Amino acid sequence: MAQQGLRQRSLPAVATESIRMNGAGKNTPVAVPAGSQGSRGGPVELLRMILLLTYFVISSCMINATQFLGAPLYIINRNYYYALMRWTKQCFGLLITTLCQWWSPTMIRLYSDWLYLWWIAYTNHTHGHLFIILKESLKWIPVLGPGMMFFEFIFLARNWATDKPRLVRDLSKLKSRHSGPLSGSGSLDPMWLMVFPEGTNLSDNGRVASARWAEKQGFPDLKHQLHPRSTGLLCCLQELKGTVDWVYDCTVAYEGIPPGEYGQDIFTLRTSFIEGMPPKSVNMYWRRFRVSSIPLDDAKDFERWLHDRWVEKDRLLERYMQTGCFPPIAEADDPLELAGVEQKSPVDRPGARYIETAVQQASRWEFCQIFLGPMAVGMALLAYCKLAGLRSLVQEASDRFF
């Protein structure tokens, strides 16, 4: 289990995060302990970079090779084809986990928060059923682009006139039913669809554009976030209505970002993976909302509902900036009440708790399955071809003599 390293505590020694583990739908703050703290010097950084690139490129090529070798299964048996693609997605989740574990403990670059959240899916055994909405240009990246297309990720061009029919078509696939390996026990496959309503990273330019949009819409500006855009998320929820029960909201804070600065400028790919200087902790606060309680029939009502949730998230981030932690959760707490900045400290809250963990794989050698894929798929296809050839010979002999 990926959760074997979980530790419960009453007070955070570092900034904390809130996370749902093992599918428990409760808001539980979690803290990720510190990684390395200091540059390792030129030669060591060069060695780290060479090892990282070698491992990442070889692993990605292995996963991609498994996908291409298994592509004929789409014609032979689609249930097994989809099962294989889910398995390769699990392998990529393992790749992300080991990159964090070995090169940048607890941290994925802020440009790629979705990679870190992939590990959250890994802890819930759904890392093979994760779907992400991405920019269309990303599918042209060598190796990774075709891999993401095999993963059935959704690519949009940021032009709603052309994106909407494509999004509706791709979302309809998420409601399909399969009976092969890695399928769900019920009528629908497990599915996590990851959506970032802000649409871009937090930056100076983004803040200016977000403030301008808020003024135009009549919304007060947010202090720590960009305003969400509701159109895409509303479309997703409307199309998936009846097949999903909950929307999970995750608020993320990285320790070590001064007020007025942005994580993408401080924790870069070089500092986190090459120099080995990730944040001391990555902090997450999870909430969930029942889909039936969300106003999906009116676009304006939904836009207001979504904005209200972002106001709550902004208050949570303000709490984090003031105290260094998100509010802890006690069994009887209302998560919306905890968004307020003025409240008791953790020491005054009986039963309040945090969960502290580290990004790591469940077992030491689990990552080896990344490299076993091409061999296993190749041998299976070879056996199938030989069996098909044998059947053909038997049929030919039967026709000749009988």
Side-chain angles (χ1 to χ4, degrees):
M1 297 288 290
Q3 297 92 334
Q4 287 176 347
L6 290 177
R7 296 179 297 278
Q8 184 169 312
R9 56 184 179 150
S10 297
L11 287 172
V14 294
T16 60
E17 84 182 326
S18 181
I19 186 173
R20 180 179 68 99
M21 305 300 284
N22 261 344
K26 297 180 180 179
N27 304 297
T28 308
V30 179
V32 179
S36 320
Q37 297 303 317
S39 180
R40 302 171 184 271
V44 176
E45 290 178 13
L46 178 61
L47 178 61
R48 285 171 60 88
M49 181 176 66
I50 293 173
L51 292 174
L52 184 148
L53 290 177
T54 301
Y55 175 67
F56 182 76
V57 171
I58 292 177
S59 299
S60 298
C61 289
M62 285 290 185
I63 294 171
N64 210 199
T66 305
Q67 293 171 324
F68 277 105
L69 287 172
L73 283 173
Y74 188 82
I75 300 173
I76 300 170
N77 188 313
R78 292 196 181 182
N79 284 327
Y80 283 97
Y81 167 82
Y82 286 117
L84 178 64
M85 294 306 126
R86 302 295 183 267
W87 184 78
T88 60
K89 199 183 297 187
Q90 288 183 352
C91 289
F92 194 79
L94 276 173
L95 172 58
I96 296 306
T97 298
T98 50
L99 284 177
C100 295
Q101 182 179 352
W102 297 336
W103 276 276
S104 180
T106 76
M107 171 59 186
I108 286 291
R109 190 186 182 195
L110 270 69
Y111 271 121
S112 305
D113 283 344
W114 57 275
L115 298 180
Y116 180 77
L117 293 171
W118 206 322
W119 179 78
I120 304 298
Y122 169 72
T123 66
N124 286 270
H125 308 289
T126 53
H127 52 307
H129 300 277
L130 186 69
F131 299 87
I132 308 174
I133 298 177
L134 300 169
K135 292 190 297 184
E136 187 174 32
S137 58
L138 295 177
K139 71 180 181 181
W140 306 117
I141 299 175
V143 180
L144 294 179
M148 291 188 290
M149 286 189 277
F150 277 119
F151 290 160
E152 295 185 286
F153 286 174
I154 300 173
F155 297 93
L156 301 180
R158 295 188 176 182
N159 182 336
W160 188 240
T162 58
D163 284 342
K164 183 177 180 180
R166 184 187 308 177
L167 180 61
V168 170
R169 180 199 66 202
D170 290 344
L171 289 173
S172 67
K173 297 178 182 178
L174 302 185
K175 298 186 288 185
S176 59
R177 293 167 168 81
H178 305 107
S179 58
L182 299 184
S183 295
S185 57
S187 59
L188 293 170
D189 286 354
M191 184 273 293
W192 280 24
L193 176 64
M194 193 179 300
V195 182
F196 295 89
E198 303 95 325
T200 188
N201 300 305
L202 185 62
S203 63
D204 281 327
N205 291 337
R207 287 286 299 119
V208 172
S210 180
R212 190 184 304 120
W213 180 87
E215 183 179 3
K216 181 180 178 180
Q217 299 296 321
F219 291 139
D221 195 18
L222 300 175
K223 187 175 180 180
H224 304 288
Q225 303 176 97
L226 302 179
H227 287 271
R229 305 302 172 91
S230 62
T231 305
L233 179 58
L234 176 60
C235 180
C236 291
L237 291 175
Q238 288 176 335
E239 291 299 320
L240 296 174
K241 188 175 181 180
T243 65
V244 294
D245 297 321
W246 300 94
V247 171
Y248 286 87
D249 166 62
C250 180
T251 304
V252 184
Y254 294 83
E255 184 177 359
I257 302 177
E261 298 189 36
Y262 305 106
Q264 65 179 26
D265 301 323
I266 299 174
F267 301 116
T268 64
L269 181 63
R270 178 183 177 86
T271 60
S272 297
F273 285 95
I274 307 305
E275 296 180 5
M277 297 174 61
K280 291 182 178 180
S281 64
V282 178
N283 309 271
M284 306 177 73
Y285 192 96
W286 287 85
R287 302 182 294 172
R288 71 175 185 176
F289 303 92
R290 191 176 291 277
V291 173
S292 60
S293 69
I294 301 175
L296 302 180
D297 297 327
D298 184 271
K300 286 294 182 182
D301 289 344
F302 179 77
E303 184 177 54
R304 171 58 65 182
W305 179 88
L306 185 63
H307 181 266
D308 290 345
R309 302 293 77 76
W310 249 248
V311 170
E312 294 164 0
K313 289 161 69 71
D314 212 52
R315 292 165 63 189
L316 282 167
L317 289 168
E318 179 64 21
R319 158 70 186 250
Y320 176 84
M321 295 299 293
Q322 290 185 13
T323 65
C325 63
F326 285 128
I329 304 297
E331 291 297 334
D333 284 331
D334 179 350
L336 298 186
E337 292 177 359
L338 293 175
V341 175
E342 299 276 338
Q343 55 183 299
K344 294 181 180 180
S345 66
V347 79
D348 296 325
R349 301 176 65 85
R353 66 193 188 280
Y354 298 86
I355 292 178
E356 180 180 290
T357 187
V359 178
Q360 59 187 14
Q361 53 186 331
S363 62
R364 179 178 299 178
W365 304 107
E366 188 178 8
F367 75 96
C368 291
Q369 64 181 269
I370 296 172
F371 307 99
L372 296 176
M375 292 186 291
V377 174
M379 291 175 64
L381 288 175
L382 181 61
Y384 176 84
C385 292
K386 287 186 175 181
L387 181 60
L390 180 61
R391 287 176 177 173
S392 177
L393 289 174
V394 171
Q395 183 64 41
E396 184 179 345
S398 176
D399 293 342
R400 179 176 300 178
F401 294 104
F402 299 101

